[in-house]
Amino acid sequence: GIQVEQSPPDLILQEGANSTLRCNFSDSVNNLQWFHQNPWGQLINLFYIPSGTKQNGRLSATTVATERYSLLYISSSQTTDSGVYFCAVENTDKLIFGTGTRLQVFP
Amino acid sequence: KAGVTQTPRYLIKTRGQQVTLSCSPISGHRSVSWYQQTPGQGLQFLFEYFSETQRNKGNFPGRFSGRQFSNSRSEMNVSTLELGDSALYLCASSLEGFGTDTQYFGPGTRLTVL
């Protein structure tokens, strides 16, 4: 099956810093989503991005489907950005999650 | 529009018991999928229902089952609970299912098996 790897596994930042999270996948996929899991467990949609670049405020994402990777950029990080970030790829019949990047932002 | 809701939010059971979890999708969404999240295995796909039919199933034993009603609400059942079933169970809904549009997740049900 498709393998999804995320890096780095852990990231510690001071407020105001920028960061880049990476998601590699082993085979062609139909779509890719980025999620933020808050401390209570809820998965919040960030981007639905099968290819190209999208931006939403301080967050942006780029997926290069032909090279099988996606990047999530967080600029001017805030303490509320803390949590676990997951990428998930879709084939025709399921959503396959990566192992996640745990981000901690300190004031 | 209301989001995906899951009930109950927390549940404590003992080994050997069975449990039923409920998921109400976003209005108009016909696809509901279920996931199990554990520290050791991460987020894993359980199954997907669309128009009251199970379309896809992950690699879980037959103790895990589900169903979907005509209003698209879905239930998941786990029989003969084991300690390893302790997990956060998440459901997601979408308009038509995988490969077509965004999956929206509920807040989850945290199950503890003692």
Side-chain angles (χ1 to χ4, degrees):
Chain A
I2 298 174
Q3 304 298 313
V4 184
E5 295 181 356
Q6 292 185 242
S7 60
D10 295 280
L11 194 54
I12 301 174
L13 299 174
Q14 193 158 26
E15 221 170 12
N18 303 326
S19 60
T20 301
L21 283 59
R22 187 177 180 103
C23 172
N24 292 332
F25 43 98
S26 61
D27 204 346
S28 300
V29 298
N30 291 341
N31 287 306
L32 185 144
Q33 288 188 236
W34 282 97
F35 296 92
H36 174 215
Q37 188 168 41
N38 66 23
W40 297 272
Q42 172 121 36
L43 284 168
I44 310 295
N45 299 76
L46 296 176
F47 293 102
Y48 178 81
I49 184 166
S51 64
T53 297
K54 290 186 177 180
Q55 180 154 8
N56 184 5
R58 297 181 295 105
L59 273 60
S60 65
T62 294
T63 297
V64 184
T66 53
E67 296 187 23
R68 300 179 185 165
Y69 74 89
S70 183
L71 302 174
L72 177 69
Y73 305 94
I74 304 174
S75 64
S76 304
S77 57
Q78 301 175 357
T79 55
T80 51
D81 295 332
S82 296
V84 184
Y85 289 80
F86 290 99
C87 70
V89 300
E90 291 184 21
N91 55 17
T92 54
D93 61 0
K94 67 177 72 170
L95 201 59
I96 303 165
F97 283 85
T99 49
T101 292
R102 182 175 300 275
L103 173 64
Q104 297 179 71
V105 181
F106 291 95
Chain B
K1 210 182 242 190
V4 179
T5 58
Q6 290 187 246
T7 57
R9 294 294 310 280
Y10 301 91
L11 208 48
I12 299 175
K13 293 285 188 179
T14 55
R15 276 182 300 174
Q17 288 186 309
Q18 75 165 13
V19 67
T20 299
L21 313 181
S22 181
C23 173
S24 292
I26 292 171
S27 178
H29 286 193
R30 295 195 293 167
S31 167
V32 174
S33 53
W34 289 88
Y35 301 81
Q36 182 196 64
Q37 185 176 24
T38 61
Q41 299 298 317
L43 276 151
Q44 294 186 286
F45 170 77
L46 280 156
F47 31 64
E48 184 217 7
Y49 284 86
F50 182 85
S51 292
E52 302 179 65
T53 300
Q54 185 182 88
R55 279 205 299 203
N56 306 299
K57 192 177 193 308
N59 189 26
F60 279 82
R63 299 186 298 107
F64 292 81
S65 63
R67 59 178 176 168
Q68 187 180 34
F69 301 94
S70 59
N71 62 357
S72 293
R73 188 177 71 85
S74 177
E75 287 182 347
M76 190 191 96
N77 184 273
V78 187
S79 62
T80 319
L81 284 166
E82 301 177 359
L83 295 178
D85 297 332
S86 294
L88 179 66
Y89 290 88
L90 294 160
C91 76
S93 77
S94 67
L95 284 168
E96 298 290 333
F98 299 115
T100 60
D101 52 24
T102 303
Q103 300 288 324
Y104 294 92
F105 281 81
T109 294
R110 196 168 293 277
L111 172 65
T112 302
V113 182
L114 303 176

